[in-house]
Amino acid sequence: MKNYCLLFSFFFFAFFLNAQEQITIEISPNGQNLKIYPLPVEDDQPTLYIDQYGNPGIEMNGSNSFRWSEYKDATEGKPEEINGIRFSYYNNLDHDGFLQSFGDTELEYYDRMPGEAQSTRLHYINDIEITYHDVMQGPPKQGKIKSIDGILLDYFYGFDNQGKLSRAGNYRIYYNQEDNRSGKSGRPDAIEGNDSRLSIYISFDFNQKYNN
């Protein structure tokens, strides 16, 4: 009986770790913008996200303390420390002022490659690799993330919903036809599929106003 309990505990723990390591993709209501969270969210820690072009950002919730760079260079006004977690930045010709690390998270970038869509863009978050659609894909796709940690992302061609996320791993995302006469114009219609590597959702802003 003890062996069965240990085996069950092992599988439960492995499943829990896998769930924690899911990549989360948040799609805006109009489908035009993405927030991709490649790392697990930890309480009272900076949360890293990137957009569909690999531009990194940081979110913080709750009570926090900040220290800001006052150097007269590309880091001016950027955080040096949040809640005791140090931030560092690149100081070179291609990536001057680009975020290099915070805490145990390290970011690496592609070298400058004129004419290449991935030029100077984010390449690695720790050991998570990011690739990009090349310039031959045309404006709806070029420079947008093609894969993250081996998970493929694709985008719509065509007049309706051009450039919006159409596939993420084994998920397919569908949008209503763009029609200015309709309130559902261009908005998500359905998400179909299943992929244990991903958590995908759509955020909605109801623009509620209060009158005092």
Side-chain angles (χ1 to χ4, degrees), residues 156-164 175-179 185-186:
F156 281 108
Y157 279 119
F159 179 76
D160 283 329
N161 302 309
Q162 179 171 286
K164 296 180 182 180
Y175 303 85
N176 287 283
Q177 184 176 0
E178 291 193 356
D179 178 3
S185 173

Side-chain angles (χ1 to χ4, degrees), residues 30-71:
N30 63 9
Q32 294 288 351
N33 302 305
L34 304 179
K35 278 188 174 181
I36 302 170
Y37 298 85
L39 301 173
V41 176
E42 300 181 32
D43 292 340
D44 302 321
Q45 301 291 316
T47 298
L48 176 72
Y49 70 88
I50 57 177
D51 66 11
Q52 61 265 43
Y53 294 98
N55 297 308
I58 294 290
E59 294 179 340
M60 293 294 300
N61 293 313
S63 299
N64 303 285
S65 61
F66 303 89
R67 185 157 61 86
W68 304 94
S69 171
E70 296 182 0
Y71 293 106

Side-chain angles (χ1 to χ4, degrees), residues 164-211:
K164 296 180 182 180
L165 185 67
S166 63
R167 181 187 292 273
N170 297 325
Y171 285 104
R172 291 295 304 270
I173 302 95
Y174 301 93
Y175 303 85
N176 287 283
Q177 184 176 0
E178 291 193 356
D179 178 3
N180 292 333
R181 300 167 297 177
S182 170
K184 64 183 182 181
S185 173
R187 295 187 178 274
D189 186 41
I191 298 175
E192 296 178 354
N194 185 48
D195 195 321
S196 61
R197 303 168 297 173
L198 278 174
S199 175
I200 187 166
Y201 67 95
I202 298 169
S203 61
F204 293 95
D205 180 1
F206 289 94
N207 296 318
Q208 189 164 338
K209 296 180 179 180
Y210 297 92
N211 296 316

Side-chain angles (χ1 to χ4, degrees), residues 28-121:
S28 65
N30 63 9
Q32 294 288 351
N33 302 305
L34 304 179
K35 278 188 174 181
I36 302 170
Y37 298 85
L39 301 173
V41 176
E42 300 181 32
D43 292 340
D44 302 321
Q45 301 291 316
T47 298
L48 176 72
Y49 70 88
I50 57 177
D51 66 11
Q52 61 265 43
Y53 294 98
N55 297 308
I58 294 290
E59 294 179 340
M60 293 294 300
N61 293 313
S63 299
N64 303 285
S65 61
F66 303 89
R67 185 157 61 86
W68 304 94
S69 171
E70 296 182 0
Y71 293 106
K72 298 302 180 182
D73 58 19
T75 70
E76 185 177 10
K78 296 180 179 180
E80 281 190 344
E81 189 174 292
I82 301 178
N83 295 346
I85 297 171
R86 296 279 300 176
F87 284 67
S88 68
Y89 301 88
Y90 283 93
N91 180 17
N92 60 41
L93 182 62
D94 288 344
H95 310 106
D96 192 26
F98 286 24
L99 180 63
Q100 183 175 23
S101 69
F102 64 96
D104 296 329
T105 301
E106 297 183 353
L107 290 79
E108 297 180 26
Y109 300 82
Y110 287 94
D111 293 333
R112 185 176 299 280
M113 296 173 283
E116 298 291 334
Q118 71 267 30
S119 177
T120 72
R121 295 180 189 270

Side-chain angles (χ1 to χ4, degrees), residues 23 25 34 36 38 50-54 110 118 121-125 127-134 137 141-155 165 167-169 197-198:
I23 290 174
I25 299 178
L34 304 179
I36 302 170
I50 57 177
D51 66 11
Q52 61 265 43
Y53 294 98
Y110 287 94
Q118 71 267 30
R121 295 180 189 270
L122 186 61
H123 191 182
Y124 284 100
I125 302 170
D127 60 350
I128 297 173
E129 184 176 15
I130 302 168
T131 67
Y132 299 85
H133 289 280
D134 62 37
Q137 296 293 321
K141 294 186 182 184
Q142 68 182 28
K144 293 181 179 179
I145 292 175
K146 181 179 181 179
S147 71
I148 177 167
D149 203 22
I151 301 171
L152 295 177
L153 275 64
D154 205 357
Y155 308 84
L165 185 67
R167 181 187 292 273
R197 303 168 297 173
L198 278 174

